[in-house]
Amino acid sequence: MIDRRLFLLAASLAGTQRAIAQTYPARPVRLIVPYPPGGPLDIAARALAEGLRGFATVLVENRTGAGGNIGADAVAKATPDGYTLLMGAVATHAINPAIQPKMPYDAAKDFAPITLVANVPNVLVLEAGYAARNRLHSVAAFVAHLQANPGRLQFGSGGNGSAGHLAGELFKMRTETFALHIPYRGAPPAQLALLSGEVHFMFDNLASAAPRVRDGRLVALGVTTQRRAKALPDIVPLAESGVKGLSDFDISTWFGVFAPAHVPPAVIEPLHAAVVGAMNTKAFGDVLAQLAAEPAPNSPAEFAALVAAEARKYEAIVRRANIKAD
């Protein structure tokens, strides 16, 4: 009797999923961006919404606050029917859970990853005059300089627990050097501090740093991803610098599309196909290029594995560097 009930339940669920697949999407889809309008995630989300016009009407909604947690939590608690999605990021799914003692959602259990959208490399930069005076034109020379001046150098970032902060901490760990971290209220003030000599180096977002590298005000020593960045193709990855401890250095600011957990596969499959299709258009690629971002579509399973690996990586960095939430 129990087996028959289970069979009928399974058949009913299968029928429901087939019905969803036949009608989805039957109404507009909300894509929540957990950061303010005008930022990289917002720009990418609106370009993606435009690319999905043939699939669904996608309404981008900015739900900001708590470092991205408010918007992410809204999606985590939404009905799992595919009509509420999140443009999540490394902060919402890897950094915040590692730093913040109490999270409103479980980043591993409350979401169904759809696809990674893009990676934005960070880049190790120095003010050009400082680099010239000290002959710091390679990663090896810079590491030797840090080792010769333990505790005398300072690095800036866009805030405590930001991607630039964590990249700096990982760099210090891997090279066995020490520099004092100086957090600012966002990456632009940190870059101004670097240009004015308040700090000696920083791991800046590539989109922000590239113009200053091209005009000669900053010197870029290496990008933080395993591959060269299209925005600065002449700059080698830190992993290729030949410096001991950096051969597997890999940190980027990534973002991707998530749905609430328990969304039926009958929704995930067409949604994934539509999002990847939109990402593969020239128009979307042009928008990402303006952000110095590089498209990186993958499968839901691959994205889930990436998120899990990133969570472990940042948890280890935070624990070893003893980073606390502000």
Side-chain angles (χ1 to χ4, degrees):
M1 185 66 179
I2 293 177
D3 289 346
R4 177 174 172 77
R5 288 177 180 173
L6 290 175
F7 173 79
L8 292 174
L9 177 60
S12 175
L13 289 173
T16 300
Q17 291 194 8
R18 283 195 297 270
I20 292 173
Q22 291 170 359
T23 60
Y24 180 80
R27 63 180 190 272
V29 174
R30 286 192 308 157
L31 178 57
I32 291 181
V33 176
Y35 300 103
L41 262 71
D42 181 69
I43 293 170
R46 293 180 189 279
L48 185 62
E50 181 67 22
L52 287 168
R53 287 180 63 182
F55 173 71
T57 298
V58 179
L59 307 175
V60 176
E61 179 181 333
N62 299 89
R63 299 280 295 272
T64 65
N69 285 357
I70 290 177
D73 187 49
V75 176
K77 293 177 171 57
T79 303
D81 55 10
Y83 290 97
T84 304
L85 306 174
L86 173 71
M87 183 67 90
V90 61
T92 58
H93 281 72
I95 296 176
N96 291 356
I99 291 178
Q100 299 183 11
K102 294 183 69 175
M103 289 285 291
Y105 57 85
D106 187 318
K109 297 179 180 179
D110 291 344
F111 297 90
I114 304 301
T115 182
L116 180 65
V117 172
N119 286 304
V120 183
N122 291 318
V123 59
L124 170 59
V125 288
L126 287 71
E127 190 272 325
Y130 182 80
R133 289 192 301 274
N134 294 280
R135 300 180 180 179
L136 305 177
H137 296 292
S138 70
V139 179
F142 180 61
V143 170
H145 184 65
L146 282 170
Q147 291 171 339
N149 296 276
R152 296 179 183 175
L153 273 67
Q154 300 173 336
F155 77 97
S157 81
N160 191 44
S162 65
H165 176 200
L166 296 177
E169 295 295 347
L170 181 61
F171 183 81
K172 287 161 52 180
M173 293 174 194
R174 294 293 183 82
T175 58
E176 299 181 348
T177 56
F178 178 74
L180 181 65
H181 171 237
I182 307 296
Y184 292 85
R185 292 184 178 273
Q191 189 187 92
L192 288 175
L194 177 64
L195 290 168
S196 66
E198 289 181 20
V199 295
H200 299 92
F201 68 100
M202 71 179 291
F203 284 84
D204 201 1
N205 179 283
L206 186 60
S208 171
R212 301 288 75 80
V213 172
R214 295 190 186 106
D215 68 20
R217 297 180 67 188
L218 293 179
V219 170
L221 297 184
V223 294
T224 61
T225 46
Q226 292 279 307
R227 295 187 301 176
R228 296 192 182 214
K230 294 178 181 178
L232 291 175
D234 295 334
I235 308 303
V236 300
L238 295 175
E240 294 180 10
S241 66
V243 173
K244 180 182 178 182
L246 297 181
S247 61
D248 61 346
F249 196 97
D250 189 12
I251 276 188
S252 66
T253 301
W254 54 260
F255 50 92
V257 178
F258 295 83
H262 311 301
V263 169
V267 168
I268 290 178
E269 292 169 8
L271 176 60
H272 175 266
V275 171
V276 171
M279 288 171 57
N280 285 331
T281 62
K282 182 180 183 302
F284 188 76
D286 289 344
V287 170
L288 288 190
Q290 294 172 10
L291 302 173
E294 301 186 7
N298 57 9
S299 71
E302 290 169 336
F303 190 25
L306 170 69
V307 172
E310 289 285 280
R312 291 192 297 270
K313 176 170 70 180
Y314 285 106
E315 183 180 11
I317 296 172
V318 167
R319 184 172 60 251
R320 184 170 173 183
N322 195 30
I323 299 171
K324 305 294 183 182
D326 290 332

